[in-house]
PDB file of all heavy atoms in Angstrom:
ATOM      1  N   PHE A 932     109.320   7.430  51.949  1.00  0.00           N
ATOM      2  CA  PHE A 932     109.026   5.962  51.912  1.00  0.00           C
ATOM      3  C   PHE A 932     108.398   5.583  50.572  1.00  0.00           C
ATOM      4  O   PHE A 932     108.795   4.630  49.936  1.00  0.00           O
ATOM      5  CB  PHE A 932     108.093   5.595  53.083  1.00  0.00           C
ATOM      6  CG  PHE A 932     107.696   4.154  53.055  1.00  0.00           C
ATOM      7  CD1 PHE A 932     108.586   3.134  53.491  1.00  0.00           C
ATOM      8  CD2 PHE A 932     106.463   3.756  52.524  1.00  0.00           C
ATOM      9  CE1 PHE A 932     108.217   1.804  53.417  1.00  0.00           C
ATOM     10  CE2 PHE A 932     106.126   2.416  52.470  1.00  0.00           C
ATOM     11  CZ  PHE A 932     106.962   1.433  52.903  1.00  0.00           C
ATOM     12  N   CYS A 999     107.608  -3.124  58.469  1.00  0.00           N
ATOM     13  CA  CYS A 999     107.293  -2.346  57.282  1.00  0.00           C
ATOM     14  C   CYS A 999     106.102  -2.980  56.563  1.00  0.00           C
ATOM     15  O   CYS A 999     105.996  -4.195  56.463  1.00  0.00           O
ATOM     16  CB  CYS A 999     108.516  -2.346  56.374  1.00  0.00           C
ATOM     17  SG  CYS A 999     108.175  -1.731  54.690  1.00  0.00           S
ATOM     18  N   VAL A1001     105.435  -3.026  53.594  1.00  0.00           N
ATOM     19  CA  VAL A1001     105.747  -3.598  52.285  1.00  0.00           C
ATOM     20  C   VAL A1001     106.598  -4.864  52.436  1.00  0.00           C
ATOM     21  O   VAL A1001     106.263  -5.920  51.908  1.00  0.00           O
ATOM     22  CB  VAL A1001     106.448  -2.587  51.354  1.00  0.00           C
ATOM     23  CG1 VAL A1001     106.973  -3.246  50.094  1.00  0.00           C
ATOM     24  CG2 VAL A1001     105.498  -1.451  51.021  1.00  0.00           C
ATOM     25  N   CYS A1002     107.719  -4.767  53.188  1.00  0.00           N
ATOM     26  CA  CYS A1002     108.651  -5.878  53.243  1.00  0.00           C
ATOM     27  C   CYS A1002     108.663  -6.623  54.573  1.00  0.00           C
ATOM     28  O   CYS A1002     109.272  -7.685  54.692  1.00  0.00           O
ATOM     29  CB  CYS A1002     110.087  -5.385  52.935  1.00  0.00           C
ATOM     30  SG  CYS A1002     110.795  -4.419  54.284  1.00  0.00           S
ATOM     31  N   GLY A1003     108.065  -6.051  55.577  1.00  0.00           N
ATOM     32  CA  GLY A1003     107.978  -6.778  56.885  1.00  0.00           C
ATOM     33  C   GLY A1003     109.171  -6.534  57.818  1.00  0.00           C
ATOM     34  O   GLY A1003     109.122  -6.922  58.992  1.00  0.00           O
ATOM     35  N   LYS A1004     110.211  -5.915  57.305  1.00  0.00           N
ATOM     36  CA  LYS A1004     111.372  -5.641  58.194  1.00  0.00           C
ATOM     37  C   LYS A1004     111.074  -4.468  59.112  1.00  0.00           C
ATOM     38  O   LYS A1004     110.216  -3.644  58.769  1.00  0.00           O
ATOM     39  CB  LYS A1004     112.614  -5.347  57.328  1.00  0.00           C
ATOM     40  CG  LYS A1004     113.004  -6.538  56.451  1.00  0.00           C
ATOM     41  CD  LYS A1004     114.500  -6.496  56.139  1.00  0.00           C
ATOM     42  CE  LYS A1004     114.968  -7.848  55.614  1.00  0.00           C
ATOM     43  NZ  LYS A1004     114.329  -8.203  54.322  1.00  0.00           N
ATOM     44  N   CYS A1019     112.342   2.693  56.273  1.00  0.00           N
ATOM     45  CA  CYS A1019     112.615   1.263  56.127  1.00  0.00           C
ATOM     46  C   CYS A1019     113.927   1.150  55.349  1.00  0.00           C
ATOM     47  O   CYS A1019     114.020   1.556  54.186  1.00  0.00           O
ATOM     48  CB  CYS A1019     111.515   0.566  55.359  1.00  0.00           C
ATOM     49  SG  CYS A1019     111.987  -1.162  54.976  1.00  0.00           S
ATOM     50  N   HIS A1021     115.272  -1.323  54.115  1.00  0.00           N
ATOM     51  CA  HIS A1021     115.205  -2.286  52.995  1.00  0.00           C
ATOM     52  C   HIS A1021     114.522  -1.604  51.780  1.00  0.00           C
ATOM     53  O   HIS A1021     114.998  -1.724  50.645  1.00  0.00           O
ATOM     54  CB  HIS A1021     114.455  -3.534  53.396  1.00  0.00           C
ATOM     55  CG  HIS A1021     114.312  -4.524  52.293  1.00  0.00           C
ATOM     56  ND1 HIS A1021     115.376  -5.300  51.895  1.00  0.00           N
ATOM     57  CD2 HIS A1021     113.260  -4.851  51.546  1.00  0.00           C
ATOM     58  CE1 HIS A1021     114.991  -6.078  50.933  1.00  0.00           C
ATOM     59  NE2 HIS A1021     113.694  -5.848  50.634  1.00  0.00           N
ATOM     60  N   CYS A1022     113.402  -0.926  52.032  1.00  0.00           N
ATOM     61  CA  CYS A1022     112.620  -0.315  50.915  1.00  0.00           C
ATOM     62  C   CYS A1022     113.206   1.022  50.450  1.00  0.00           C
ATOM     63  O   CYS A1022     112.902   1.418  49.343  1.00  0.00           O
ATOM     64  CB  CYS A1022     111.182  -0.157  51.328  1.00  0.00           C
ATOM     65  SG  CYS A1022     110.345  -1.714  51.624  1.00  0.00           S
TER      66      CYS A1022
HETATM   67 ZN1   ZN B1266     110.268  -2.137  53.818  1.00  0.00          ZN
END
Side-chain angles (χ1 to χ4, degrees):
F932 176 79
C999 167
V1001 172
C1002 73
K1004 297 207 164 64
C1019 172
H1021 180 74
C1022 295

